[in-house]
Amino acid sequence: MQFEKSCGAVVFRKYHGNTELLIIKHVNGGHWSFPKGHVEEGETEEETAIREIKEETGVDVIIDSSFREVVTYSPKKETQKDVIYFLAIAKNSNLVPQEEEIADIKWVEISRAHAVLSYDNDRQLVNKVKPIIKDSY
């Protein structure tokens, strides 16, 4: 069994009184999800999330590490992958997709996120961050 680890975040912004989430569409597979990527040697989980979000979307973020959720799945046979998700606040809104990996990026109102996201585990993350964003931001 091979093990992989990635880190990313549910990135949000407040826009005209609404809470919006940053969602990306992957070139490979065409699914909508949250930005994430592989941990590089010497990086902390938070550093990986910040770097990957910036590389994939052009957005700078502040990580709220009080929210840390692990999603485990098998992307291919004999491989188990852990993805560590944090909550992150966008510091800017300029979207610049990483051409090799990202087909599209958009801000989605939090109440519409379930309809756009491709996977149940991502929808569950939205359910978990909603009350935190509402109560703390």
Side-chain angles (χ1 to χ4, degrees):
M1 179 74 75
Q2 185 179 344
F3 294 94
E4 295 179 6
K5 182 178 180 182
S6 289
C7 298
V10 178
V11 180
F12 76 95
R13 71 175 182 178
K14 296 288 189 168
Y15 187 72
H16 295 300
N18 295 318
T19 300
E20 296 182 332
L21 303 182
L22 182 65
I23 301 178
I24 60 172
K25 184 177 184 181
H26 294 266
V27 168
N28 198 354
H31 58 281
W32 288 94
S33 188
F34 298 112
K36 66 180 180 305
H38 288 93
V39 178
E40 291 184 359
E41 195 172 327
E43 279 184 329
T44 66
E45 292 174 347
E46 291 91 341
E47 288 168 342
T48 298
I50 291 167
R51 176 183 53 77
E52 284 290 342
I53 293 162
K54 178 69 171 180
E55 285 177 4
E56 290 185 351
T57 70
V59 175
D60 293 303
V61 297
I62 299 167
I63 296 287
D64 177 350
S65 53
S66 67
F67 178 88
R68 182 184 181 277
E69 192 72 25
V70 182
V71 175
T72 302
Y73 65 98
S74 180
K76 54 187 179 253
K77 193 176 178 179
E78 296 298 315
T79 303
Q80 180 180 316
K81 183 170 189 169
D82 284 347
V83 182
I84 314 303
Y85 284 104
F86 297 101
L87 185 59
I89 308 153
K91 294 182 355 187
N92 64 300
S93 299
N94 310 345
L95 302 178
V96 182
Q98 183 181 29
E99 290 179 20
E100 310 81 54
E101 293 185 33
I102 309 304
D104 197 6
I105 311 172
K106 60 183 169 183
W107 291 103
V108 176
E109 217 291 316
I110 196 165
S111 63
R112 290 195 54 248
H114 279 241
V116 178
L117 291 164
S118 299
Y119 299 119
D120 269 345
N121 57 12
D122 290 335
R123 292 183 196 104
Q124 290 170 17
L125 282 171
V126 172
N127 293 343
K128 290 177 181 178
V129 301
K130 241 186 210 180
I132 296 168
I133 294 170
K134 186 176 182 238
D135 295 343
S136 302
Y137 294 96

